[in-house]
Amino acid sequence: MEKTDITKKTRNMAHDEDSLIVFVIRLMQLRGKRYRWSSPVQTLSVDLEGKGKPVSLSTIRFGTPDTDELVSYLSVVRQFWLQKEPTYHNNIAGILFNAACLLADTEMQQRLKGLRDGFKEQSSCSYSFTRGEKTVRLSNEEMVNFWFNTFYFHTDLNRLREAELILSHDFTREFARQHFEGYLDRFVTYSRQLGIEALGVLWKGIFPKGSLHYLLDDHTYKEIRPLLDRLPQHSPT
């Protein structure tokens, strides 16, 4: 690997190298994790606004995903989502942007900004759930946190009000789950794009060797790069 002598200007870049390596490894783990809807799916177009106003139609799919496979898939994806993880997507983006600045790679800086801005734009949607006098409003990010922290992996007692309103009715539950999974697919796509940038940085040799550097010696860029193009997305059956 070609070595670029800029490491003296950096923060703990050996740790940064390890974070990027683990991030790529986790992405590759997704290749073996697929899930499908295990029951026949009914499609229903729903008027979300009503009252005679022009509306757009949303497709709600009623079915049950294969729970074990879905949880296995989510257990990897949430490592890109949780702030406490070294593979947290904002942490990875920061490492990559720092590397781009050190390399004076303005094209990479612009690519990273474009990826970040595009993902932020996708995160701007929000959804309201109303029953009687109760209303819950969740952004896309809050929707992901709701499913991760209230339904699949934890029980957040502070979110029980949302849980009662969303989960106690078939329509609101399936509507919320569809948008959760759709947004998560876009998040995985964003993470894969960061992974491709991470691969390029790792093989530029700008980092002092971290604890996991030996893994780079066992593989080549050309071996790993095509694998990131084959990450699964959920699909109904």
Side-chain angles (χ1 to χ4, degrees), residues 9-200:
K9 304 177 184 178
T10 68
R11 56 187 189 177
N12 185 354
M13 291 186 72
H15 180 76
D16 287 349
E17 181 187 65
D18 286 341
S19 294
L20 293 186
I21 290 172
V22 174
F23 186 74
V24 172
I25 289 172
R26 295 291 183 240
L27 281 170
M28 293 176 64
Q29 285 179 341
L30 284 182
R31 295 179 59 246
K33 297 185 180 298
R34 300 174 181 272
Y35 70 95
R36 297 179 181 273
W37 295 85
S38 60
S39 62
V41 176
Q42 297 176 345
T43 300
L44 175 66
S45 293
V46 182
D47 183 336
L48 295 180
E49 297 180 19
K51 300 181 182 179
K53 298 179 181 179
V55 297
S56 59
L57 295 179
S58 177
T59 299
I60 310 300
R61 297 171 312 193
F62 291 94
T64 303
D66 294 321
T67 303
D68 290 345
E69 292 181 0
L70 175 58
V71 171
S72 178
Y73 175 84
L74 295 179
S75 69
V76 176
V77 175
R78 69 194 292 264
Q79 295 181 59
F80 309 145
W81 185 264
L82 297 181
Q83 295 184 22
K84 66 180 181 180
E85 295 289 342
T87 50
Y88 173 51
H89 66 95
N90 276 343
N91 179 50
I92 298 301
I95 292 171
L96 292 174
F97 194 81
N98 181 61
C101 291
L102 290 170
L103 290 165
D105 189 338
T106 56
E107 290 187 4
M108 181 180 174
Q109 292 175 36
Q110 291 303 312
R111 285 198 308 273
L112 291 169
K113 287 180 179 178
L115 290 175
R116 178 198 63 193
D117 292 346
F119 182 64
K120 281 186 175 180
E121 184 177 351
Q122 292 178 340
S123 303
S124 63
C125 296
S126 62
Y127 309 94
S128 291
F129 301 88
T130 301
R131 187 177 309 151
E133 297 181 355
K134 295 181 180 179
T135 297
V136 170
R137 187 174 182 86
L138 299 178
S139 66
N140 270 326
E141 289 188 3
E142 290 169 332
M143 185 81 78
V144 172
N145 288 329
F146 170 81
W147 284 97
F148 275 160
N149 299 327
T150 304
F151 190 83
Y152 286 112
F153 297 104
H154 303 287
T155 301
D156 185 347
L157 297 181
N158 294 322
R159 305 207 76 104
L160 292 183
R161 179 172 176 269
E162 290 95 329
E164 189 278 331
L165 191 61
I166 293 172
L167 300 178
S168 62
H169 191 278
D170 287 346
F171 175 79
T172 53
R173 182 178 63 251
E174 299 305 327
F175 177 85
R177 185 161 59 190
Q178 179 190 350
H179 284 279
F180 160 64
E181 292 174 353
Y183 180 70
L184 216 60
D185 276 349
R186 295 192 293 275
F187 174 65
V188 169
T189 297
Y190 170 64
S191 298
R192 182 185 68 82
Q193 292 167 327
L194 291 180
I196 291 170
E197 296 289 348
L199 271 185

